[in-house]
Amino acid sequence: MIPGRMSNSQTSAQIRPVDRAFFARDPRRVARELLGKVLVRREAVRQEAVQPGVGQIAGKRASNRRLTARIVEVEAYLGQEDPAAHAAAGLTARNAVLFGPPGHAYVYFIYGNHYCLNVSCEPEGQAGSVLFRALEPLSGLEAMAQARSIEIHGPGDVRKLTSGPGRLAEAFDITRARDNGCDLTSAAGALWLGDDGYPAGRILVTPRVGITKAPDWLLRFVLADNPFVSGKRMSRITAAA
DNA sequence: ATATCGATTATCT
DNA sequence: GATAATCGATATG
């Protein structure tokens, strides 16, 4: 069971894929305009093994197969002229997707523990990208919780699903083997980016998180006042008694 | 409430 | 051999 969450987003019925031209631009522009858009996992990979007790009805494993979440925090990486970018040293086997056509998933593994998701930007040959740092879950929260191996006991716990680049990748079952190089502009794909008409509202710009090179460049973009932005919260969400 | 630290591996020097 | 676009657990005020 997942209790009601503090949300300022509505789930719209219609989500249309973002087209490739959107990504064929400067990553700073793409990052800004991706705020408020939606990340979609077409079908949750894991399936609930519901074992109903005697006389009980099987659980709701068939519903909520599609995962959706609103993009609330991103960072821009500028390609070879950005010391903090994976593309800084040029083309390698690991970062090849960054140099390919725009709108494709670049997934990398970090700290021996976590995957992180980017989308390639700029025309082919230029290696700009946008890193996804936090999402606001909209649908499929049960499957996300299962993928994250956590239980949701209150609104504050919902934040732990997708608030952070490693967390959101785990919630969406994103791995390098499965998703690196995938086209994110097609709703027929396993993972894609969509627009449901949500107005982004006020945007804050800050330095990027967790890097040692070019630490003061202002390339992190967040939705102001959105509780799902990563990092520590000054005031906790007051759960209803 | 903030601070520190260990986990664990692909990638690069 | 060192480091990394992180997270969660533990310790402490």
Side-chain angles (χ1 to χ4, degrees), chain A residues 131-143:
Chain A
L131 168 70
F132 295 82
R133 287 197 54 88
L135 311 172
E136 172 177 354
L138 296 176
S139 71
L141 278 70
E142 297 277 0

Side-chain angles (χ1 to χ4, degrees), chain A residues 80-93:
Chain A
Q80 292 190 84
E81 64 266 34
D82 180 353
H86 286 181
L91 174 69
T92 68

Side-chain angles (χ1 to χ4, degrees), chain A residues 159-229:
Chain A
R159 237 180 70 81
K160 297 189 209 158
L161 290 175
T162 53
S163 182
R167 287 170 169 177
L168 74 87
E170 188 172 30
F172 274 69
D173 273 315
I174 292 166
T175 65
R176 183 168 168 91
R178 180 182 306 129
D179 298 304
N180 190 52
C182 281
D183 183 0
L184 298 178
T185 66
S186 167
L191 190 69
W192 54 282
L193 291 162
D195 186 348
D196 68 351
Y198 180 80
R202 203 158 61 91
I203 293 171
L204 302 180
V205 185
T206 81
R208 294 176 291 188
V209 172
I211 55 171
T212 56
K213 298 160 195 159
D216 46 353
W217 292 14
L218 298 174
L219 294 177
R220 174 174 174 257
F221 302 86
V222 307
L223 285 187
D225 306 321
N226 188 293
F228 293 87
V229 168

